[in-house]
Amino acid sequence: MNHSSKERAPLAQQPALHSDEPAPAETVLHIPAKRLRTYDKVKPGDPTATVQQTGPGTNGEPLAYVHVPQDAPTGGRQARPAFTLTGPNGEPCGSVRSLGDGVYEVYDGDGSALGRITRRAGRTLPWPRRVRWSVQPARGGALTGEVGTRTAWAVFVLISPLYFLCWAVMAAQGSLWLLLGEKGEAKKEAAWEMEPPTWTRWRADDDPEPAIEYRTGRKYRLTAPRLDHRLAYAQAVLHVWDRA
């Protein structure tokens, strides 16, 4: 797999992709592209998304590339397409395969099992339940995280009627701009939206500190060194796709 030399970072700045060592503590991952819906339009061999390192002292160095087969079926939120991860120089890093019902198996570059990622869907009735993610490494305890805090969801529900009122007003304004031939202004009116709570913290039951933390901006902070970085990459990619 060939990637331009401008995208490659020095190997000294990369985690050891073929070792069992976890990613360093305080690593921040950033996945800048939301291209799940158009993965079948990506040129063969080109990555669908990139996992980058960000934060102080970094320059957005690529840590891994995400590749989705162009003929992969679309299975909705509970069965995302299979994908592979390659290192910054094209070396095999891992692969993810959906088993359906929100369950994903993660393998290393040699095909050995690294762990399992599970997404439990949220619901409103008969009682509210947030989307819940869990990461079960092949060795070690599970990490779980629920999307959004209870307080954030309560506020979101309370202000939703106001949002829909504002959306209706802005939609009417956008339609007026279209009638006047101002497509640019119409797009601005249509771009505003209220996103549901996203803060997610993956942690073990016996550990108050999160292993992975997501707040906003498709950035994931790895705060515990014991989680294999390939599992962290896979969970981050699936979580980004869930927000798309």
Side-chain angles (χ1 to χ4, degrees), residues 46-92:
D46 286 349
T48 303
T50 303
V51 180
Q52 297 177 334
Q53 184 175 4
T54 187
T58 64
N59 296 307
E61 295 90 350
L63 297 175
Y65 295 101
V66 181
H67 301 271
V68 180
Q70 291 182 309
D71 58 350
T74 55
R77 291 184 183 275
Q78 292 298 96
R80 294 304 191 187
F83 62 93
T84 58
L85 296 165
T86 60
N89 296 304
E91 63 272 27

Side-chain angles (χ1 to χ4, degrees), residues 96-136:
V96 179
R97 180 168 59 91
S98 172
L99 301 182
D101 296 326
V103 180
Y104 302 87
E105 294 283 1
V106 184
Y107 305 91
D108 65 14
D110 297 325
S112 300
L114 289 174
R116 173 174 289 188
I117 296 174
T118 303
R119 178 190 185 273
R120 187 187 68 177
R123 68 186 181 197
T124 304
L125 299 174
W127 55 83
R129 186 177 73 184
R130 293 171 287 171
V131 172
R132 182 185 181 93
W133 289 95
S134 65
V135 181
Q136 177 61 67

Side-chain angles (χ1 to χ4, degrees), residues 10 21 34 45-46 64 70 74 81 87 91-92 101 117 120 125 134 136 153 155 169 193 203 224 230 233 235 240:
E21 293 296 324
K34 283 189 177 180
D46 286 349
Q70 291 182 309
T74 55
E91 63 272 27
D101 296 326
I117 296 174
R120 187 187 68 177
L125 299 174
S134 65
Q136 177 61 67
W153 276 108
V155 173
V169 172
E193 62 178 351
R203 57 188 178 187
R230 294 161 294 188
Y233 297 168
Q235 173 63 97
V240 163

Side-chain angles (χ1 to χ4, degrees), residues 156-167:
F156 178 81
V157 171
L158 289 174
I159 67 175
S160 291
L162 179 61
Y163 161 74
F164 285 114
L165 176 61
C166 295
W167 177 85

Side-chain angles (χ1 to χ4, degrees), residues 134-152:
S134 65
V135 181
Q136 177 61 67
R139 296 189 298 272
L143 305 171
T144 58
E146 292 183 303
V147 177
T149 64
R150 290 187 178 91
T151 301

Side-chain angles (χ1 to χ4, degrees), residues 8-40:
R8 296 178 183 175
L11 291 179
Q13 299 177 4
Q14 305 297 332
L17 292 175
H18 289 286
S19 73
D20 291 331
E21 293 296 324
E26 303 300 326
T27 296
V28 179
L29 306 180
H30 181 215
I31 304 177
K34 283 189 177 180
R35 300 181 64 181
L36 174 62
R37 298 173 184 172
T38 58
Y39 66 85
D40 55 343

